């Protein structure tokens, strides 16, 4: 549905925001673009609705090169591509209702259409009672819901999220991401989400690209990229999210165990401990969720018993490093 | 008391007040009508904006700066031939309005441009991302969002126009400034000077308070 071919984007003569990116995003996918500030994420997402044009390379939406579109063609494309923003991008001088109605008015919808559609959109994002309020009277999460309702007004096929949860607290972030996941499921909406937070990618994305200095350093399924990061930039991003602390004072054998799927819910450690006589000390660990599956990642200290056999048994359950 | 105000001809004061208000009203209206589009144009042709145009923007900016850098009292005199062509006279309220508008519109346009630049960048992008035309962008987003700033700019411009009308009094425009100069300054009638100054102060104060209220009324952020 979305394809980038050798996309370069330079601002001025010197600074290249994107230095040759190839990417393919499928219909109905939740696709994450992760990277630090300045990695080129914002530029990349703005190429997809023509807010920015590539210096070279092609951006194809359903096979159409965005750069070749006329002004009218670009406007038509933009009604198929919704966008939400970190700072919401709402009209602060207009009510919630008028904000959501704006894309419809721009598209030339009749009064009756607007009167029918806006309340339905507000209900979908849980803001039915707030239509008459001004955005400044809402909480951050509610403001982003207004942004989402507004982005959905033209029935887009693609939703671009530009750091949409970065201004929100963790709980609100989870709620907004749940809403996005629901919309993805119910409407088959393709979502392209840029963020600098691994947690966001982990919670909702199917696939992810890691962007560093304008290049895609790693692309793949979230579970693969997250559990087996190859690029050092990816490893650094994950390490930050997990806040590893190395405990001091243990000098026996140490293994890192990664489990996913059903193995997370099996009493793996206690069973192996019984079988092999080896006890486990949990030095570091995390059990969590990757969109639709569970994962566990533990750093274990091994004490006594047959440690060789214990490690071999662990290998049968998950990956051991 | 009546001894001190013996020089004050209250009917003349009233007439001067009405003249000043007429000059202010007429020139403010025309200044906004002319300066608002000019300000929008300055903004739209600026860097990174929909009608980005370096030369056009540079030419507009030069014009605005030229007029703004000319002292108003000089502009008044330089404008006389043009004023006569436009309104048939260079005297009285009518004769004062063209130079007032030419003096104030570029100033107002700059303030409008600044107010437009302060509109949230994300908001502008969001509206563009909806497929808005530049016309939609201006009328549905930029102007409504910048309204408080534009009202504040109008207040500042109105106050500047009052001081301009006082100067216009020096070349025969009438109004409170004219009284202050002819009687207060040239004839040493301190009481006339005092009354006109108090009235001008009151007018400025009134405008400022009214302007601030309007700004507050339309600020939702």
């Amino acid at each position: 549905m979305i394809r980038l071919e050798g996309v370069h984007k330079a601002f001025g003569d010197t600074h290249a925001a994107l230095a040759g990116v190839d990417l393919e995003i499928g219909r109905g996918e939740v696709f994450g673009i992760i990277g630090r500030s300045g990695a080129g994420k914002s530029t990349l997402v703005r190429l997809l609705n023509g807010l920015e044009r590539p210096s070279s390379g092609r951006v194809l939406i359903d096979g159409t090169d965005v750069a070749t579109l006329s002004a009218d063609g670009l406007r038509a494309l933009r009604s198929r591509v919704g966008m939400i923003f970190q700072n919401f991008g709402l009209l602060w001088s207009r009510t919630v209702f008028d904000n959501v109605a704006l894309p419809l008015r721009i598209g030339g919808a009749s009064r009756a259409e607007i009167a029918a559609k806006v309340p339905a959109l507000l209900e979908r994002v849980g803001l039915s009672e707030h239509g008459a309020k001004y955005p400044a009277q809402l909480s951050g999460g509610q403001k982003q819901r207004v942004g989402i309702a507004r982005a959905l007004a033209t029935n887009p096929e693609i939703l671009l999220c530009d750091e949409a949860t970065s201004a929100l607290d963790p709980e609100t972030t989870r709620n907004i991401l749940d809403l996005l996941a629901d919309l993805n499921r119910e409407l088959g909406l393709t979502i392209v989400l840029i963020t600098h937070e691994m947690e966001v990618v982990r919670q909702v994305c199917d696939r992810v690209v890691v962007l560093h200095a304008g290049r895609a350093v790693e692309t793949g399924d979230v579970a693969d990229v997250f559990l087996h990061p190859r690029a050092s930039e990816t490893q650094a991003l994950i390490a930050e999210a997990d806040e590893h602390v190395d405990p001091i004072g243990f000098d026996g054998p140490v293994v890192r165990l990664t489990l996913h799927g059903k193995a997370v819910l099996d009493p793996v450690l206690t069973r192996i401990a019984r079988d092999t006589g080896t006890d486990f000390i949990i030095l570091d660990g995390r059990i969590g969720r990757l969109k639709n599956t569970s994962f566990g990642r533990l750093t274990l200290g091994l004490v006594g018993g047959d440690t060789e056999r214990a490690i071999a048994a662990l290998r049968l359950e998950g990956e051991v490093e | 008391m009546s001894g001190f105000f013996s020089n004050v001809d209250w009917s003349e004061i009233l007439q001067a007040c009405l003249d000043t208000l007429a000059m202010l009203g007429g020139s403010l209206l025309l200044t906004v009508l002319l300066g608002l589009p000019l300000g929008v144009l300055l903004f739209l042709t600026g860097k990174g904006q929909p009608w980005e145009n370096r030369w056009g923007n540079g030419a507009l900016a030069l014009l605005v700066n030229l007029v703004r850098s000319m002292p108003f009292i000089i502009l008044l005199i330089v404008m006389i031939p043009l004023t006569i062509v436009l309104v048939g006279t260079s005297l009285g309220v009518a004769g004062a309005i063209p130079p007032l508008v030419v003096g104030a519109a570029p100033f107002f346009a700059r303030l409008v441009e600044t107010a437009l630049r302060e509109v949230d960048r994300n908001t502008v992008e969001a509206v563009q991302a909806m497929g808005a035309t530049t016309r939609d962008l201006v009328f549905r987003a930029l102007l409504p969002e910048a309204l408080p700033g534009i009202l504040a700019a109008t207040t500042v411009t109105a106050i500047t126009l009052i001081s301009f009308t006082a100067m216009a009094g020096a070349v025969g425009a009438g109004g409170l400034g004219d009284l202050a100069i002819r009687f207060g300054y040239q004839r040493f009638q301190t009481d006339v000077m005092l009354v006109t100054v108090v009235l001008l102060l009151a007018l400025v104060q009134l405008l400022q308070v009214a302007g601030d209220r309007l700004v507050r009324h339309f600020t939702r952020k």
Side-chain angles (χ1 to χ4, degrees):
Chain A
M1 159 158 247
I2 301 173
R3 238 163 93 109
L4 270 68
E5 295 174 352
V7 168
H8 284 257
K9 173 72 185 181
F11 292 105
D13 301 326
T14 47
H15 175 68
L18 293 174
V21 175
D22 296 287
L23 212 59
E24 183 140 19
I25 302 174
R27 190 175 294 276
E29 212 174 12
V30 182
F31 191 87
I33 299 172
I34 189 169
R36 297 177 198 285
S37 1
K41 311 179 297 269
S42 293
T43 309
L44 181 51
V45 80
R46 280 165 176 70
L47 292 168
L48 304 183
N49 61 359
L51 284 178
E52 299 280 1
R53 305 224 158 184
S55 308
S56 68
R58 301 204 300 164
V59 178
L60 303 166
I61 310 277
D62 279 339
T64 310
D65 187 343
V66 176
T68 63
L69 289 171
S70 63
D72 282 342
L74 192 59
R75 276 195 287 279
L77 169 76
R78 284 174 177 173
S79 72
R80 292 170 48 209
V81 183
M83 187 165 182
I84 59 176
F85 297 84
Q86 177 171 6
N87 301 320
F88 318 117
L90 302 174
L91 291 184
W92 307 95
S93 60
R94 292 286 181 258
T95 62
V96 167
F97 184 99
D98 285 336
N99 265 283
V100 176
L102 185 62
L104 298 169
R105 292 196 173 121
I106 286 173
S110 72
R111 213 171 266 271
E113 281 173 85
I114 290 168
K117 190 143 192 203
V118 174
L121 287 162
L122 288 176
E123 192 181 341
R124 181 63 196 83
V125 298
L127 290 179
S128 286
E129 276 136 52
H130 301 286
K133 287 189 182 163
Y134 287 91
Q137 294 169 284
L138 303 178
S139 70
Q142 290 172 325
K143 284 176 197 159
Q144 197 54 283
R145 284 168 189 271
V146 178
I148 293 171
R150 183 178 67 175
L152 294 177
T154 52
N155 300 321
E157 294 150 53
I158 301 171
L159 179 65
L160 308 177
C161 309
D162 179 9
E163 295 277 6
T165 58
S166 299
L168 305 175
D169 62 64
E171 197 193 334
T172 313
T173 295
R174 265 194 301 281
N175 293 336
I176 293 290
L177 293 177
D178 284 343
L179 174 60
L180 292 177
D182 289 347
L183 293 170
N184 168 249
R185 251 195 327 274
E186 289 167 25
L187 310 173
L189 196 64
T190 305
I191 297 181
V192 180
L193 189 148
I194 73 176
T195 181
H196 62 275
E197 292 169 307
M198 205 65 204
E199 283 300 318
V200 169
V201 169
R202 186 154 59 195
Q203 197 186 329
V204 288
C205 294
D206 301 309
R207 290 199 309 137
V208 63
V209 59
V210 181
L211 219 56
H212 182 77
R215 289 175 191 283
V217 293
E218 190 158 359
T219 312
D221 288 343
V222 170
D224 284 345
V225 172
F226 181 70
L227 295 173
H228 312 289
R230 288 187 308 274
S232 58
E233 291 85 0
T234 319
Q235 288 162 358
L237 280 167
I238 291 167
E240 273 162 36
D242 282 358
E243 288 180 48
H244 279 292
V245 182
D246 285 330
I248 313 166
F250 183 81
D251 52 8
V254 173
V255 297
R256 255 164 85 78
L257 173 69
T258 303
L259 303 166
H260 38 120
K262 271 202 349 257
V264 175
L265 300 176
D266 266 1
V268 171
L269 294 184
T270 46
R271 181 161 46 75
I272 295 174
R274 262 195 310 278
D275 292 351
T276 62
T278 296
D279 288 311
F280 297 104
I281 299 172
I282 298 174
L283 298 171
D284 190 11
R286 160 155 201 167
I287 310 291
R289 205 184 79 168
L290 277 167
K291 199 174 185 186
N292 301 320
T293 100
S294 305
F295 77 97
R297 170 165 271 183
L298 301 170
T299 304
L300 302 168
L302 274 52
V303 182
D306 187 346
T307 51
E308 294 282 307
R309 238 181 79 213
I311 290 172
L314 285 173
R315 271 187 217 287
L316 295 176
E317 305 295 339
E319 290 120 38
V320 176
E321 293 159 51
Chain B
M1 199 66 191
S2 66
F4 181 71
F5 284 118
S6 60
N7 295 318
V8 179
D9 178 342
W10 293 102
S11 73
E12 200 161 1
I13 296 271
L14 179 68
Q15 186 55 49
C17 271
L18 293 176
D19 286 352
T20 293
L21 288 175
M23 279 190 278
L24 174 64
S27 61
L28 185 61
L29 183 72
L30 289 170
T31 296
V32 171
L33 285 179
L34 225 73
L36 192 61
L38 186 59
V40 171
L41 209 58
L42 271 171
F43 174 79
L44 288 179
T45 55
K47 195 164 158 35
Q49 301 305 334
W51 291 349
E52 180 170 348
N53 183 327
R54 237 172 101 197
W55 296 112
N57 188 261
L60 277 179
L62 183 70
L63 184 78
V64 164
N65 291 342
L66 269 180
V67 179
R68 284 191 56 198
S69 59
M70 191 179 300
F72 185 66
I73 192 91
I74 310 289
L75 183 72
L76 270 171
I77 296 161
V78 172
M79 282 270 302
I80 286 175
L82 183 63
T83 305
I84 291 174
V85 170
L86 284 173
V87 293
T89 172
S90 68
L91 299 175
V93 171
I97 286 179
L100 285 172
V101 173
V102 170
F107 172 70
F108 181 67
R110 271 281 185 232
L111 295 178
V112 167
E113 186 201 5
T114 309
L116 293 174
R117 275 208 203 136
E118 270 160 27
V119 173
D120 186 344
R121 176 83 205 149
N122 264 183
T123 303
V124 174
E125 267 194 323
V127 176
Q128 286 174 323
M130 290 170 198
T133 57
T134 303
R135 185 197 165 93
D136 284 326
L137 182 68
V138 170
F139 289 99
R140 294 184 190 275
L142 287 172
L143 292 178
E145 285 293 284
L147 185 62
I150 292 171
L151 287 171
T154 309
T155 309
V156 173
T157 305
I159 289 168
T160 305
L161 275 170
I162 291 182
S163 82
F164 282 2
T165 64
M167 267 188 263
V171 294
L176 288 167
D178 177 42
L179 273 194
I181 291 165
R182 278 195 293 130
F183 296 90
Y185 175 63
Q186 289 165 348
R187 298 190 201 167
F188 300 104
Q189 294 178 350
T190 312
D191 48 358
V192 177
M193 183 68 104
L194 190 70
V195 169
T196 55
V197 166
V198 167
L199 284 171
L200 284 171
L201 265 177
L203 188 55
V204 167
Q205 199 59 34
L206 201 75
L207 279 170
Q208 187 66 58
V209 170
D212 287 348
R213 279 197 173 196
L214 273 176
V215 170
R216 227 173 312 136
H217 179 75
F218 285 103
T219 302
R220 309 283 186 197
K221 212 164 178 177

